[in-house]
Amino acid sequence: MLNLVGCTNAINKEDNSTTNQDNQNKIVEETSPDISYMGMRLKDESVSMKSSSIFNIQTDEQFAPSLEIKNGFDSNQKYRVIFLIDYKPITFLVDGREHTYFDFNIDADAIEKIDIIFPKLVDGQHDLTTVIIREPEQIFKEPIFVPGFEHILAHRSNIIVSTDKINPPEFIQVDAHSTIANYGEKVILNQGSLIDLDNPISLLHKSNLNNIWISFENESDSSKYAVIILDIIQIKSDVEFVSTDTKGIIKRSMDLPDEFKSTTNLVVLAVENPFTTNNKRPYLSNKISLVN
């Protein structure tokens, strides 16, 4: 139920400079089922690309892509874009002004384009995650499930600044549990140890944040993941890096940092193979509201 026109370039910047003229413009299209609810496209004609999701710039060069977002709904919708570099939110420029996120409204079946300037990045290989949330401030009043693809898009790519050197974090070794039929590429939150695919959490009460579990499926014999709790109101992230040598369901306790407990909306992402150029689309939770 989503047509994702792939974010082939990542987006974010803090300076008003422009990049080299190397004239490469590639856009990847990822399509899944027929109905086009939301779509995004990231491109930068002034940077060289090794592939559709790897962008190469030089030291002191700035990444300045444009982002196009399609609203395929039949009414005006509000969207919020957030950029993560190495799984942490960054500040970027739009029209010469700094933003930690950027909101805009799009008419029914229309496309909005914004030009973005990223901050200068240190030399090395960086993971870029672009996250777009529809109606980010809407708070669920009851524990209904709204599929993640109706509210959230995410795409991962790389920015390589002069060298592909990386400084990988430490990974926690975990065991995966037996696979559940029809689990799919999603992140599920449940309260308690039982994984309930039919009733994932969409509403958390701030007075009862104990025993919340994040789960997602690993389909490879050996994998690593960045598991990101993203506060889409205060624009903060809490990241855990895990690795496993077994196929099945990975479960992690959601220990929400105190500073997140004053927010109203969260999403959770699981990104496979972080700090590599093996870029797969992140697994997403549905949008989760925190209420008193």
Side-chain angles (χ1 to χ4, degrees):
M1 303 196 191
L2 163 66
N3 185 353
L4 173 60
V5 182
C7 227
T8 65
N9 300 4
I11 316 160
N12 257 284
K13 221 170 178 185
E14 213 180 62
D15 254 18
N16 252 339
S17 333
T18 56
T19 53
N20 286 356
Q21 298 285 318
D22 210 281
N23 210 14
Q24 298 248 353
N25 174 14
K26 297 182 182 178
I27 294 173
V28 170
E29 296 193 359
E30 302 172 32
T31 304
S32 75
D34 317 87
I35 302 171
S36 179
Y37 283 149
M38 301 185 290
M40 64 176 166
R41 175 183 309 190
L42 215 95
K43 60 183 180 179
D44 187 344
E45 298 180 3
S46 62
V47 301
S48 63
M49 301 173 65
K50 284 185 178 178
S51 76
S52 61
S53 60
I54 303 173
F55 300 89
N56 291 270
I57 62 175
Q58 299 302 312
T59 302
D60 295 327
E61 194 176 344
Q62 288 192 290
F63 187 46
S66 61
L67 173 69
E68 294 179 359
I69 298 177
K70 177 183 178 180
N71 174 29
F73 291 85
D74 59 4
S75 61
N76 183 287
Q77 299 287 322
K78 178 178 179 179
Y79 291 88
R80 172 168 296 173
V81 60
I82 300 169
F83 299 102
L84 310 179
I85 292 287
D86 299 334
Y87 307 103
K88 296 293 183 182
I90 65 167
T91 300
F92 54 96
L93 290 181
V94 177
D95 294 330
R97 300 181 64 180
E98 287 191 350
H99 299 271
T100 55
Y101 64 88
F102 190 73
D103 287 349
F104 43 94
N105 290 288
I106 308 178
D107 290 335
D109 202 31
I111 295 173
E112 180 78 12
K113 176 182 175 182
I114 56 175
D115 295 319
I116 299 154
I117 300 177
F118 274 61
K120 289 182 179 178
L121 302 172
V122 300
D123 286 4
Q125 178 178 305
H126 300 277
D127 284 7
L128 169 64
T129 309
T130 304
V131 183
I132 295 174
I133 305 102
R134 183 176 69 86
E135 301 299 338
E137 294 168 347
Q138 175 195 20
I139 299 173
F140 295 135
K141 301 297 185 182
E142 55 188 54
I144 59 172
F145 174 64
V146 178
F149 60 75
E150 291 189 14
H151 276 282
I152 309 160
L153 294 179
H155 184 82
R156 178 186 159 200
S157 48
N158 301 108
I159 303 173
I160 297 176
V161 186
S162 295
T163 174
D164 59 3
K165 178 183 177 181
I166 61 172
N167 294 304
E170 290 188 13
F171 287 81
I172 301 169
Q173 186 71 24
V174 300
D175 292 325
H177 305 274
S178 58
T179 301
I180 297 175
N182 301 317
Y183 194 105
E185 297 180 355
K186 55 184 172 288
V187 176
I188 295 291
L189 267 68
N190 287 127
Q191 193 151 24
S193 58
L194 177 67
I195 298 174
D196 186 348
L197 298 182
D198 295 325
N199 295 289
I201 286 176
S202 57
L203 188 67
L204 286 171
H205 291 274
K206 296 180 182 181
S207 60
N208 185 18
L209 293 175
N210 298 320
N211 205 19
I212 306 296
W213 291 84
I214 299 168
S215 64
F216 56 94
E217 185 173 19
N218 171 51
E219 296 182 334
S220 303
D221 290 327
S222 179
S223 294
K224 294 181 177 180
Y225 291 88
V227 183
I228 308 135
I229 302 172
L230 180 61
D231 177 342
I232 63 175
I233 303 299
Q234 301 178 118
I235 318 303
K236 297 177 181 179
S237 68
D238 185 68
V239 188
E240 181 181 54
F241 297 100
V242 300
S243 62
T244 186
D245 295 326
T246 52
K247 295 180 181 179
I249 307 301
I250 295 174
K251 292 180 61 181
R252 304 301 297 162
S253 174
M254 190 178 83
D255 298 319
L256 202 62
D258 287 342
E259 61 267 28
F260 281 52
K261 295 176 184 176
S262 59
T263 193
T264 52
N265 281 326
L266 302 169
V267 297
V268 181
L269 302 86
V271 179
E272 190 174 0
N273 301 318
F275 303 104
T276 71
T277 55
N278 183 8
N279 289 317
K280 296 183 178 180
R281 190 161 51 188
Y283 295 0
L284 297 170
S285 71
N286 54 301
K287 191 170 70 175
I288 301 152
S289 293
L290 274 70
V291 297
N292 293 319

